[in-house]
Coordinates of all heavy atoms in Angstrom, one line a residue:
F42 N -1.1 8.3 -14.5 CA -0.6 9.5 -15.1 C 0.8 9.9 -14.5 O 1.6 10.6 -15.2 CB -1.6 10.6 -14.9 CG -2.6 10.7 -16.0 CD1 -3.8 10.0 -15.9 CD2 -2.3 11.3 -17.2 CE1 -4.7 10.0 -16.9 CE2 -3.2 11.3 -18.3 CZ -4.4 10.6 -18.1
Q43 N 1.0 9.5 -13.2 CA 2.4 9.8 -12.7 C 3.4 9.0 -13.5 O 4.5 9.5 -13.8 CB 2.5 9.3 -11.2 CG 1.9 10.3 -10.3 CD 1.9 9.8 -8.9 OE1 2.1 8.6 -8.6 NE2 1.8 10.7 -7.9
H44 N 3.1 7.7 -13.9 CA 4.0 6.9 -14.6 C 4.1 7.4 -16.1 O 5.1 7.2 -16.7 CB 3.6 5.5 -14.6 CG 4.1 4.8 -13.4 ND1 5.3 4.1 -13.3 CD2 3.6 4.7 -12.1 CE1 5.5 3.7 -12.1 NE2 4.5 4.0 -11.4
L45 N 3.0 8.0 -16.6 CA 3.1 8.6 -17.9 C 4.0 9.7 -18.0 O 4.7 9.9 -19.0 CB 1.7 9.0 -18.3 CG 1.4 9.4 -19.8 CD1 1.7 8.2 -20.7 CD2 0.0 9.9 -20.0
F46 N 4.1 10.5 -17.0 CA 5.0 11.8 -17.1 C 6.1 11.8 -16.1 O 7.1 12.6 -16.3 CB 4.1 13.0 -16.9 CG 3.0 13.1 -17.9 CD1 1.7 13.0 -17.7 CD2 3.4 13.4 -19.2 CE1 0.8 13.1 -18.7 CE2 2.5 13.5 -20.3 CZ 1.1 13.4 -20.0
V47 N 6.1 11.0 -15.0 CA 7.2 11.1 -14.0 C 7.7 9.7 -13.7 O 7.7 9.3 -12.6 CB 6.7 11.7 -12.7 CG1 7.8 12.0 -11.7 CG2 5.9 13.0 -13.0
F48 N 8.2 9.0 -14.7 CA 8.6 7.6 -14.7 C 8.9 7.0 -13.3 O 9.7 7.3 -12.6 CB 9.9 7.6 -15.5 CG 9.9 8.5 -16.7 CD1 10.6 9.6 -16.8 CD2 9.0 8.2 -17.7 CE1 10.5 10.4 -17.9 CE2 8.9 9.0 -18.8 CZ 9.7 10.1 -18.9
A49 N 8.1 6.0 -13.1 CA 8.2 5.1 -11.9 C 8.2 5.8 -10.6 O 8.9 5.6 -9.7 CB 9.4 4.2 -12.0
N50 N 7.2 6.7 -10.4 CA 7.1 7.5 -9.2 C 6.6 6.7 -8.0 O 7.0 7.0 -6.9 CB 6.2 8.8 -9.5 CG 6.3 9.8 -8.4 OD1 7.2 9.9 -7.7 ND2 5.2 10.5 -8.3
S51 N 5.7 5.8 -8.3 CA 5.0 5.1 -7.2 C 5.3 3.6 -7.2 O 4.4 2.9 -6.7 CB 3.5 5.4 -7.2 OG 3.0 4.9 -8.4
I52 N 6.4 3.2 -7.7 CA 6.6 1.8 -7.9 C 6.8 1.0 -6.6 O 6.5 -0.1 -6.5 CB 7.8 1.5 -8.8 CG1 7.8 0.1 -9.5 CG2 9.1 1.7 -8.1 CD1 6.8 0.0 -10.5
Q53 N 7.2 1.7 -5.5 CA 7.3 1.1 -4.2 C 6.0 0.7 -3.6 O 6.0 -0.2 -2.8 CB 8.1 2.0 -3.3 CG 7.4 3.2 -2.8 CD 7.6 4.4 -3.8 OE1 8.1 4.3 -4.8 NE2 7.0 5.5 -3.4
T54 N 4.9 1.2 -4.0 CA 3.6 0.9 -3.4 C 2.9 -0.2 -4.2 O 1.9 -0.8 -3.8 CB 2.7 2.1 -3.4 OG1 2.5 2.6 -4.7 CG2 3.3 3.2 -2.5
I55 N 3.4 -0.6 -5.4 CA 2.8 -1.6 -6.3 C 3.4 -2.9 -5.9 O 4.6 -3.1 -5.8 CB 3.1 -1.2 -7.8 CG1 2.6 0.2 -8.1 CG2 2.5 -2.2 -8.7 CD1 1.1 0.4 -7.8
E56 N 2.5 -3.9 -5.9 CA 2.9 -5.3 -5.4 C 2.8 -6.3 -6.5 O 3.5 -7.3 -6.4 CB 2.0 -5.7 -4.2 CG 2.1 -4.8 -3.0 CD 1.1 -5.1 -2.0 OE1 0.3 -6.1 -2.2 OE2 1.1 -4.5 -0.9
H57 N 1.9 -6.2 -7.5 CA 1.6 -7.3 -8.4 C 2.4 -7.1 -9.7 O 2.5 -6.0 -10.2 CB 0.1 -7.4 -8.7 CG -0.7 -7.7 -7.5 ND1 -1.2 -6.8 -6.7 CD2 -1.0 -8.9 -7.0 CE1 -1.9 -7.4 -5.7 NE2 -1.7 -8.7 -5.8
F58 N 3.0 -8.2 -10.2 CA 3.8 -8.1 -11.4 C 3.0 -7.6 -12.7 O 3.6 -6.8 -13.4 CB 4.4 -9.5 -11.7 CG 5.2 -9.5 -13.0 CD1 6.5 -8.9 -12.9 CD2 4.8 -10.1 -14.1 CE1 7.3 -8.9 -14.0 CE2 5.6 -10.1 -15.3 CZ 6.8 -9.5 -15.2
P59 N 1.8 -8.0 -12.9 CA 1.0 -7.4 -14.1 C 0.9 -5.9 -14.0 O 1.0 -5.2 -15.0 CB -0.3 -8.1 -14.0 CG -0.1 -9.4 -13.3 CD 1.0 -9.1 -12.3
T60 N 0.7 -5.4 -12.8 CA 0.6 -4.0 -12.6 C 1.9 -3.3 -12.9 O 1.9 -2.2 -13.5 CB 0.1 -3.7 -11.1 OG1 -1.1 -4.3 -10.8 CG2 0.0 -2.2 -10.9
I61 N 3.0 -3.9 -12.5 CA 4.3 -3.3 -12.7 C 4.5 -3.3 -14.3 O 5.1 -2.3 -14.8 CB 5.4 -4.1 -12.0 CG1 5.3 -3.9 -10.5 CG2 6.8 -3.7 -12.5 CD1 6.2 -4.8 -9.7
M62 N 4.1 -4.4 -15.0 CA 4.3 -4.4 -16.4 C 3.5 -3.3 -17.1 O 3.9 -2.6 -18.0 CB 3.9 -5.8 -17.0 CG 4.9 -6.9 -16.6 SD 6.6 -6.5 -17.0 CE 6.5 -6.4 -18.8
L63 N 2.2 -3.1 -16.7 CA 1.4 -2.1 -17.2 C 2.0 -0.7 -17.0 O 2.0 0.1 -17.9 CB -0.1 -2.2 -16.6 CG -0.9 -3.3 -17.1 CD1 -2.2 -3.3 -16.3 CD2 -1.3 -3.1 -18.6
L64 N 2.5 -0.5 -15.8 CA 3.1 0.8 -15.5 C 4.4 1.1 -16.3 O 4.7 2.2 -16.6 CB 3.2 1.0 -14.0 CG 1.9 1.1 -13.2 CD1 2.2 1.1 -11.7 CD2 1.1 2.3 -13.7
T65 N 5.1 0.0 -16.5 CA 6.3 0.1 -17.3 C 6.0 0.5 -18.8 O 6.6 1.4 -19.4 CB 7.1 -1.2 -17.3 OG1 7.4 -1.5 -15.9 CG2 8.4 -1.1 -18.1
I66 N 5.0 -0.2 -19.3 CA 4.5 0.2 -20.7 C 4.0 1.6 -20.7 O 4.3 2.4 -21.6 CB 3.4 -0.8 -21.1 CG1 4.0 -2.2 -21.3 CG2 2.8 -0.3 -22.4 CD1 3.0 -3.3 -21.5
T67 N 3.3 2.0 -19.6 CA 2.8 3.4 -19.6 C 4.0 4.4 -19.6 O 4.0 5.4 -20.2 CB 2.0 3.6 -18.3 OG1 0.9 2.7 -18.4 CG2 1.4 5.0 -18.2
S68 N 5.1 4.0 -18.8 CA 6.3 4.9 -18.8 C 6.9 5.0 -20.2 O 7.4 6.1 -20.6 CB 7.3 4.4 -17.8 OG 6.8 4.5 -16.5
V69 N 7.0 3.9 -20.9 CA 7.5 3.9 -22.3 C 6.7 4.8 -23.2 O 7.2 5.6 -24.0 CB 7.7 2.5 -22.8 CG1 8.0 2.5 -24.3 CG2 8.7 1.7 -22.0
I70 N 5.4 4.7 -23.1 CA 4.5 5.5 -23.8 C 4.7 7.0 -23.5 O 4.7 7.9 -24.4 CB 3.0 5.1 -23.6 CG1 2.7 3.8 -24.3 CG2 2.0 6.2 -24.2 CD1 1.4 3.2 -23.9
G71 N 4.9 7.3 -22.2 CA 5.2 8.7 -21.8 C 6.5 9.2 -22.4 O 6.5 10.4 -22.8
V72 N 7.5 8.4 -22.5 CA 8.8 8.8 -23.1 C 8.5 9.1 -24.6 O 9.0 10.1 -25.1 CB 9.8 7.7 -23.0 CG1 11.0 8.0 -23.8 CG2 10.3 7.6 -21.5

Side-chain angles (χ1 to χ4, degrees):
F42 274 94
Q43 283 177 340
H44 278 268
L45 188 63
F46 297 111
V47 189
F48 321 109
N50 191 25
S51 60
I52 202 75
Q53 68 275 5
T54 61
I55 303 302
E56 300 174 357
H57 297 93
F58 181 73
T60 303
I61 293 170
M62 291 305 298
L63 285 172
L64 292 175
T65 301
I66 292 168
T67 303
S68 292
V69 170
I70 290 171
V72 168

